[in-house]
């Protein structure tokens, strides 16, 4: 099996590395000037590009109709593939990827798939299984909800880390002092629900502590964020 990965970003780099580790012929290609010279003899074409560029890139690719075309977006529908690409689907790896931190073990990454026909579902499922045993079929609406859930669980949480790092500036305490707390909080939700794992002054409704902490915050946006999140925790 030969795989062409269209894109050179975070997802593309991690997919290529995962396929190559499993001795699957995979190659990243991308040209901002066009994809007219894309290899024609691949079995699978994976589109790992930004959502806003996806349709344009797909429309530039013209290869034999036997090939399977899949994109990696959690938000874009399968309908982005036109009639010139009858065998198509979605392969959405649900993880935070970075070029500078290539995942060494892709088998722990859940992959959510969709395809038009039953034969294509089987083909995309087999493709996903070459990366991980954690393969699930998911509809467009379910993937969209999953994507938003990921934003809250990952992107917003990571931003909170950056706020915490900023608050420690000017002290003698390094950000690494927070890592055991971060790790323990993440570990607890493997065995407890997030609600049951919640701790802190907001869940205790400790108004004196919250008032004092608000006074310590200099950034007005951070104060608004503290108030809003505390109110939501207290009301949950």
């Amino acid at each position: 099996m030969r795989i062409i990965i269209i894109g050179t970003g975070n997802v593309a780099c991690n997919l290529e590395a995962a396929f190559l580790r499993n001795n699957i012929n995979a190659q990243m290609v991308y040209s901002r000037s066009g994809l007219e010279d894309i290899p024609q003899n691949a079995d699978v074409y994976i589109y790992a590009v930004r959502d806003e560029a996806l349709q344009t890139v797909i429309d530039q690719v013209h290869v034999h109709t036997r090939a399977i075309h899949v994109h990696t977006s959690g938000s874009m529908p399968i309908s982005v593939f036109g009639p010139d690409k009858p065998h198509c689907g979605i392969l959405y790896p649900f993880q935070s990827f970075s070029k500078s931190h290539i995942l060494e073990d892709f088998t722990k990454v859940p992959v959510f798939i969709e395809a038009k026909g039953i034969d294509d579902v089987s083909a995309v499922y087999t493709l996903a299984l070459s990366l991980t045993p954690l393969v699930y079929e998911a509809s467009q609406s379910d993937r969209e909800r999953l994507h938003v859930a990921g934003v809250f669980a990952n992107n917003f949480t990571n931003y909170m880390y950056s706020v915490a790092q900023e608050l420690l500036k000017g002290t003698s305490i390094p950000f690494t002092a927070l890592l055991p707390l971060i790790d323990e909080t993440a570990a607890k939700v493997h065995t407890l629900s997030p609600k049951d794992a919640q701790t802190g002054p907001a869940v205790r409704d400790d108004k004196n502590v919250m008032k004092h902490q608000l006074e310590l915050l200099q950034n007005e946006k951070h104060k608004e964020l503290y108030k809003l999140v505390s109110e939501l925790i207290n009301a949950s």
Side-chain angles (χ1 to χ4, degrees):
M1 177 168 60
R2 185 183 185 193
I3 297 172
I4 295 296
I5 302 170
I6 301 167
T8 57
N10 297 329
V11 176
C13 288
N14 277 270
L15 281 175
E16 183 189 50
F19 283 125
L20 292 177
R21 276 197 304 270
N22 293 333
N23 298 313
I24 296 172
N25 184 355
Q27 174 190 356
M28 285 192 300
V29 300
Y30 191 68
S31 170
R32 292 185 180 275
S33 60
L35 291 161
E36 292 81 7
D37 297 326
I38 193 168
Q40 296 285 309
N41 59 344
D43 304 293
V44 180
Y45 293 84
I46 299 177
Y47 301 78
V49 299
R50 294 177 182 272
D51 285 2
E52 59 266 28
L54 182 59
Q55 187 69 71
T56 299
V57 171
I58 287 173
D59 291 344
Q60 289 183 39
V61 175
H62 304 287
V63 296
H64 61 89
T65 57
R66 299 183 307 280
I68 296 175
H69 300 260
V70 298
H71 70 65
T72 61
S73 170
S75 302
M76 298 297 285
I78 199 171
S79 59
V80 293
F81 295 108
D84 63 319
K85 299 174 179 68
H87 302 292
C88 58
I90 295 168
L91 186 145
Y92 174 42
F94 190 63
Q95 183 53 274
S96 175
F97 296 106
S98 299
K99 281 185 180 181
S100 58
H101 183 74
I102 300 296
L103 289 182
E104 295 182 0
D105 186 3
F106 214 98
T107 62
K108 296 178 181 178
V109 177
V111 172
F112 296 85
I113 68 164
E114 183 182 1
K116 284 187 175 179
I118 188 167
D119 290 340
D120 293 332
V121 169
S122 178
V124 177
Y125 190 85
T126 300
L127 176 67
L129 280 178
S130 70
L131 295 168
T132 175
L134 306 176
V135 181
Y136 308 91
E137 284 191 62
S139 66
Q140 173 71 16
S141 61
D142 284 354
R143 284 196 319 278
E144 288 174 342
R145 285 197 181 192
L146 177 66
H147 196 186
V148 176
V151 168
F152 275 88
N154 176 54
N155 307 123
F156 289 176
T157 301
N158 189 69
Y159 177 74
M160 296 295 190
Y161 297 157
S162 71
V163 172
Q165 185 177 40
E166 184 177 332
L167 289 172
L168 290 178
K169 286 180 180 177
T171 76
S172 60
I173 303 169
F175 177 74
T176 52
L178 292 175
L179 295 181
L181 176 65
I182 291 170
D183 292 342
E184 176 62 17
T185 301
K188 280 197 290 189
V189 296
H190 285 262
T191 56
L192 298 172
S193 72
K195 182 178 175 64
D196 289 339
Q198 187 71 57
T199 62
V203 76
R204 297 193 304 269
D205 197 25
D206 193 330
K207 291 182 173 60
N208 289 332
V209 170
M210 288 190 286
K211 180 176 181 293
H212 179 62
Q213 291 183 342
L214 275 169
E215 291 170 351
L216 291 173
L217 296 174
Q218 301 299 310
N219 186 307
E220 290 300 319
K221 292 293 185 182
H222 290 168
K223 285 187 177 184
E224 292 175 19
L225 183 63
Y226 185 101
K227 289 179 185 176
L228 176 60
V229 176
S230 294
E231 288 172 5
L232 292 171
I233 290 172
N234 185 255
S236 65

